[in-house]
Amino acid sequence: MITTHAFSQYPPFFFYNPSGNHYIIDYIVYHVLAEGKSKKNLAARLFRVLESISLEFKPQDEEFKIRLRALVLGLTQTYRYGLVRELLSEDGNAAPYLQSSTMQTDCLRAAALLGLPELYTEIAAAYTAPGAKELDIHTYPHAGLFLCSAFEYAAQGGHFDLVGKILDGLEEKGMLPIESHWIGAAVEAAIHENHEHIVRHLLQPKYEYSPPPGENSLIREAAAVDNPEMLKYLCDRLTVSLGDPMIMHIAAANNHKSIVELSLASGGDVNKTTGRWETPLAIASQHGHTDMVRFLLSHGAELGRGEHQQ
């Protein structure tokens, strides 16, 4: 059985390699369905959220399980696996997010991720009802099932119309342009799920996205997705060279030949090492990508290059 301790032991490239994601997701889904609301942890909170927004389904129904899996995917991408132990911990003190979060906020974000516009509208309207606290999409509470805004989760779910609905609502309130870190988070979530149309929409000049100096998380995320056109667009938009060594390393880890070819054609060095002295060839070999190993060797990759350097 995979343990939660093991989740924190993966090397950095695991975060850009989706091959192991299903183990983590299946592990959490199993616990949520098996334990339900019996424990005071984030898994129980996730169960309660889904139960609240899916009144027409029972836990044994396939649609309930499909929605649960989608929520778990969103949760693991937000946490980057770092808080999975807290998710399943029985110690309430280990999960402070339970103390200050509101079910309403959690359900709002869940509705955005699952693409339930009517439910989203209904919950959001409650924030603006007479006597209610107005919804502030810029608020970033360190609490709750989802740590980022509903805007990010709508983008991750690929719900273009809902993304537009949220942006229109912000514009009506005079809250555009949004701070760059919010746009960046939403774009990164859309990239991860290969929603290129949302990526291009959010990076329009009118939203004024500008990454911090040296920030390249969007390019790293795109290099892990097998979509050369989206990567080319992002590199052009963010003025990053397609030959950047980071791109080839991450593409090799994910077995994306088309991305490696694109990087090579743009001047990428097939023998460039990472900070850990690993070449694309070594990384592909570690992940068991035999075809990628053959491809890199055919394009000049050198055996043993960088393996024993310190």
Side-chain angles (χ1 to χ4, degrees):
M1 175 181 290
I2 298 177
T3 65
T4 53
H5 174 71
F7 296 157
S8 64
Q9 305 304 311
Y10 286 100
F13 275 110
F14 173 77
F15 296 139
Y16 305 105
N17 184 353
S19 61
N21 287 9
H22 68 280
Y23 291 114
I24 294 174
I25 294 169
D26 287 346
Y27 181 76
I28 297 173
V29 168
Y30 167 79
H31 274 274
V32 174
L33 290 174
E35 298 170 1
K37 299 176 288 185
S38 63
K39 297 182 179 180
K40 186 180 180 183
N41 59 11
L42 287 176
R45 187 174 191 87
L46 190 150
F47 186 94
R48 290 195 298 272
V49 167
L50 188 56
E51 188 179 51
S52 297
I53 67 174
S54 303
L55 297 176
E56 68 274 34
F57 302 112
K58 297 179 179 179
Q60 62 267 31
D61 293 340
E62 190 61 30
E63 181 61 26
F64 188 95
K65 295 175 183 177
I66 291 172
R67 290 187 175 190
L68 173 60
R69 191 174 183 83
L71 288 181
V72 170
L73 176 61
L75 185 63
T76 54
Q77 290 309 318
T78 297
Y79 285 143
R80 287 292 187 192
Y81 317 114
L83 296 180
V84 175
R85 285 167 294 182
E86 288 191 10
L87 180 78
L88 302 176
S89 171
E90 292 185 57
D91 181 4
N93 294 325
Y97 314 100
L98 286 172
Q99 309 305 319
S100 58
S101 175
T102 67
M103 182 65 72
Q104 194 175 38
T105 301
D106 288 344
C107 289
L108 181 76
R109 291 165 179 161
L113 179 66
L114 295 173
L116 306 173
E118 293 182 1
L119 179 61
Y120 176 88
T121 301
E122 179 183 338
I123 298 172
Y127 281 90
T128 56
K133 182 179 179 181
E134 184 175 356
L135 171 63
D136 181 1
I137 205 70
H138 284 79
T139 300
Y140 193 101
H142 294 283
L145 176 61
F146 301 116
L147 297 184
C148 295
S149 72
F151 172 57
E152 175 184 348
Y153 282 92
Q156 182 177 338
H159 308 301
F160 187 85
D161 290 343
L162 188 52
V163 169
K165 181 183 183 70
I166 295 173
L167 289 172
D168 289 344
L170 293 174
E171 186 170 19
E172 290 174 4
K173 296 180 181 181
M175 298 173 67
L176 290 182
I178 307 175
E179 294 178 19
S180 279
H181 75 273
W182 282 116
I183 292 290
V187 171
E188 185 171 348
I191 291 172
H192 188 276
E193 298 303 318
N194 202 13
H195 300 311
E196 184 179 350
H197 60 306
I198 291 180
V199 172
R200 289 175 178 267
H201 179 73
L202 293 178
L203 290 181
Q204 293 179 86
K206 69 176 181 178
Y207 295 125
E208 301 182 15
Y209 173 72
S210 178
E215 172 58 48
N216 55 18
S217 61
L218 299 186
I219 301 299
R220 290 199 305 270
E221 200 69 55
V225 178
D226 195 12
N227 187 336
E229 290 304 314
M230 182 168 66
L231 179 61
K232 284 194 291 185
Y233 166 77
L234 285 164
C235 284
D236 181 65
R237 172 69 172 77
L238 302 175
T239 61
V240 174
S241 170
L242 283 164
D244 190 301
M246 163 188 65
I247 292 176
M248 195 181 304
H249 291 144
I250 295 174
N254 287 274
N255 201 28
H256 293 329
K257 180 181 174 182
S258 61
I259 302 298
V260 173
E261 287 178 322
L262 182 62
S263 183
L264 286 170
S266 302
D269 184 351
V270 74
N271 289 305
K272 188 72 174 179
T273 59
T274 67
R276 301 171 62 193
W277 299 105
E278 294 174 319
T279 62
L281 179 63
I283 292 169
S285 178
Q286 289 167 13
H287 286 83
H289 300 321
T290 306
D291 291 341
M292 178 61 70
V293 168
R294 293 196 184 101
F295 176 78
L296 292 169
L297 287 172
S298 71
H299 284 76
E302 300 175 7
L303 287 170
R305 178 70 176 267
E307 289 181 358
H308 303 294
Q309 298 183 45
Q310 299 294 329

